Amino acid sequence: MIGEQLQQARQARQLSQEQVAEQLAVSRQTISNWETEKSYPDIERVLRLAELYQLSLDELLRRDPQLIHAWQVASDQVKLGRYLAVLLGLNLLLTLGILYLNAFFWLTVSLFLGLVVCVSGCFYVLIKLI
Protein backbone atom coordinates (compact mmCIF):
# COMPACT_ATOMS: atom_id res chain seq x y z
CA MET A 1 0.00 0.00 0.00
CA ILE A 2 2.59 2.56 1.00
CA GLY A 3 4.83 1.21 -1.73
CA GLU A 4 2.29 2.08 -4.40
CA GLN A 5 1.73 5.49 -2.84
CA LEU A 6 5.47 6.20 -2.74
CA GLN A 7 5.91 5.15 -6.36
CA GLN A 8 2.92 7.20 -7.55
CA ALA A 9 4.04 10.25 -5.58
CA ARG A 10 7.59 9.97 -6.94
CA GLN A 11 6.34 9.65 -10.50
CA ALA A 12 3.89 12.55 -10.02
CA ARG A 13 6.85 14.72 -8.99
CA GLN A 14 8.75 13.36 -12.04
CA LEU A 15 11.63 12.10 -9.93
CA SER A 16 13.71 9.01 -10.53
CA GLN A 17 14.53 6.53 -7.79
CA GLU A 18 18.13 7.72 -8.02
CA GLN A 19 17.13 11.33 -7.39
CA VAL A 20 15.01 10.41 -4.38
CA ALA A 21 17.76 8.15 -3.04
CA GLU A 22 20.27 10.98 -3.34
CA GLN A 23 18.03 13.38 -1.42
CA LEU A 24 17.45 10.84 1.36
CA ALA A 25 21.05 9.58 1.47
CA VAL A 26 20.03 5.98 0.75
CA SER A 27 20.64 3.66 -2.19
CA ARG A 28 18.40 3.40 -5.24
CA GLN A 29 17.80 -0.22 -4.23
CA THR A 30 16.41 0.99 -0.90
CA ILE A 31 13.88 3.18 -2.71
CA SER A 32 12.98 0.22 -4.91
CA ASN A 33 12.52 -1.99 -1.85
CA TRP A 34 10.20 0.57 -0.27
CA GLU A 35 8.15 0.87 -3.44
CA THR A 36 7.85 -2.91 -3.78
CA GLU A 37 7.20 -3.24 -0.02
CA LYS A 38 10.15 -5.55 0.54
CA SER A 39 11.09 -3.21 3.37
CA TYR A 40 9.69 -0.07 4.97
CA PRO A 41 11.22 3.35 5.52
CA ASP A 42 11.81 4.48 9.09
CA ILE A 43 9.80 7.36 10.49
CA GLU A 44 12.52 9.92 9.77
CA ARG A 45 12.60 8.93 6.11
CA VAL A 46 8.79 8.92 5.87
CA LEU A 47 8.79 12.50 7.15
CA ARG A 48 11.36 13.47 4.54
CA LEU A 49 9.46 11.62 1.80
CA ALA A 50 6.23 13.40 2.73
CA GLU A 51 8.05 16.71 2.52
CA LEU A 52 9.75 15.82 -0.76
CA TYR A 53 6.52 14.62 -2.35
CA GLN A 54 4.50 17.42 -0.73
CA LEU A 55 2.08 14.99 0.90
CA SER A 56 0.74 14.85 4.43
CA LEU A 57 1.70 11.94 6.65
CA ASP A 58 -1.95 10.97 6.73
CA GLU A 59 -1.95 10.63 2.94
CA LEU A 60 1.11 8.38 3.08
CA LEU A 61 0.20 6.22 6.06
CA ARG A 62 -3.56 6.04 6.27
CA ARG A 63 -4.02 2.85 4.27
CA ASP A 64 -0.99 0.84 5.38
CA PRO A 65 -1.57 -1.03 8.63
CA GLN A 66 1.49 -3.23 7.97
CA LEU A 67 3.82 -0.23 8.14
CA ILE A 68 2.19 1.06 11.30
CA HIS A 69 2.46 -2.41 12.85
CA ALA A 70 6.14 -2.64 11.85
CA TRP A 71 6.79 0.70 13.58
CA GLN A 72 4.95 -0.43 16.70
CA VAL A 73 7.05 -3.59 16.87
CA ALA A 74 10.25 -1.56 16.40
CA SER A 75 9.13 0.87 19.11
CA ASP A 76 8.41 -2.01 21.49
CA GLN A 77 11.86 -3.46 20.83
CA VAL A 78 13.49 -0.13 21.62
CA LYS A 79 11.57 0.05 24.90
CA LEU A 80 12.57 -3.50 25.80
CA GLY A 81 16.18 -2.66 24.94
CA ARG A 82 16.07 0.26 27.36
CA TYR A 83 14.62 -1.95 30.10
CA LEU A 84 17.37 -4.47 29.45
CA ALA A 85 20.03 -1.78 29.74
CA VAL A 86 18.57 -0.58 33.05
CA LEU A 87 18.37 -4.12 34.39
CA LEU A 88 21.95 -4.88 33.37
CA GLY A 89 23.13 -1.68 35.06
CA LEU A 90 21.23 -2.65 38.19
CA ASN A 91 22.79 -6.13 38.03
CA LEU A 92 26.23 -4.53 37.95
CA LEU A 93 25.45 -2.32 40.94
CA LEU A 94 24.05 -5.23 42.94
CA THR A 95 27.07 -7.38 42.11
CA LEU A 96 29.42 -4.63 43.22
CA GLY A 97 27.37 -4.22 46.38
CA ILE A 98 27.69 -7.93 47.13
CA LEU A 99 31.44 -7.82 46.55
CA TYR A 100 32.10 -4.78 48.72
CA LEU A 101 29.47 -5.21 51.43
CA ASN A 102 29.94 -8.93 52.11
CA ALA A 103 30.82 -8.24 55.75
CA PHE A 104 27.12 -7.51 56.40
CA PHE A 105 25.40 -10.86 56.03
CA TRP A 106 21.75 -9.71 55.73
CA LEU A 107 22.63 -6.91 53.39
CA THR A 108 24.57 -9.34 51.22
CA VAL A 109 21.62 -11.77 51.19
CA SER A 110 19.24 -8.94 50.27
CA LEU A 111 21.52 -7.78 47.46
CA PHE A 112 21.83 -11.35 46.20
CA LEU A 113 18.06 -11.77 46.10
CA GLY A 114 17.80 -8.47 44.23
CA LEU A 115 20.41 -9.74 41.80
CA VAL A 116 18.44 -12.93 41.21
CA VAL A 117 15.31 -10.88 40.46
CA CYS A 118 17.24 -8.62 38.07
CA VAL A 119 18.82 -11.54 36.24
CA SER A 120 15.36 -13.08 35.88
CA GLY A 121 14.11 -9.78 34.51
CA CYS A 122 16.98 -9.71 32.00
CA PHE A 123 16.12 -13.20 30.77
CA TYR A 124 12.46 -12.22 30.46
CA VAL A 125 13.31 -9.14 28.40
CA LEU A 126 15.73 -11.12 26.22
CA ILE A 127 13.05 -13.70 25.52
CA LYS A 128 10.59 -10.93 24.58
CA LEU A 129 13.18 -9.43 22.22
CA ILE A 130 13.71 -12.76 20.50
Side-chain angles (χ1 to χ4, degrees):
M1 298 197 180
I2 191 170
E4 290 175 28
Q5 291 173 300
L6 290 174
Q7 185 176 25
Q8 289 171 358
R10 178 181 55 76
Q11 290 171 344
R13 304 289 300 157
Q14 298 179 345
L15 295 169
S16 69
Q17 288 182 343
E18 290 85 7
Q19 290 170 318
V20 173
E22 226 175 84
Q23 295 223 2
L24 298 178
V26 296
S27 68
R28 185 210 55 81
Q29 186 63 42
T30 299
I31 301 299
S32 175
N33 287 342
W34 293 345
E35 290 181 358
T36 58
E37 297 183 20
K38 291 180 183 173
S39 65
Y40 292 107
D42 59 24
I43 187 67
E44 177 186 339
R45 298 271 169 29
V46 169
L47 291 170
R48 292 177 63 195
L49 284 164
E51 184 179 308
L52 179 65
Y53 296 152
Q54 297 177 347
L55 296 172
S56 71
L57 286 177
D58 187 49
E59 291 172 304
L60 276 178
L61 303 177
R62 182 181 326 154
R63 293 179 227 118
D64 198 342
Q66 287 178 330
L67 175 66
I68 293 169
H69 177 71
W71 283 347
Q72 288 171 337
V73 168
S75 174
D76 290 345
Q77 287 178 337
V78 167
K79 288 176 189 174
L80 287 172
R82 287 183 185 150
Y83 291 140
L84 183 60
V86 168
L87 287 170
L88 289 173
L90 190 55
N91 281 339
L92 179 63
L93 289 175
L94 289 169
T95 301
L96 291 173
I98 290 170
L99 291 174
Y100 289 107
L101 299 173
N102 61 6
F104 305 100
F105 177 75
W106 290 111
L107 183 57
T108 303
V109 169
S110 299
L111 290 173
F112 182 75
L113 291 174
L115 183 63
V116 169
V117 170
C118 282
V119 168
S120 300
C122 287
F123 280 116
Y124 174 78
V125 171
L126 283 172
I127 289 169
K128 294 287 269 182
L129 282 172
I130 297 170

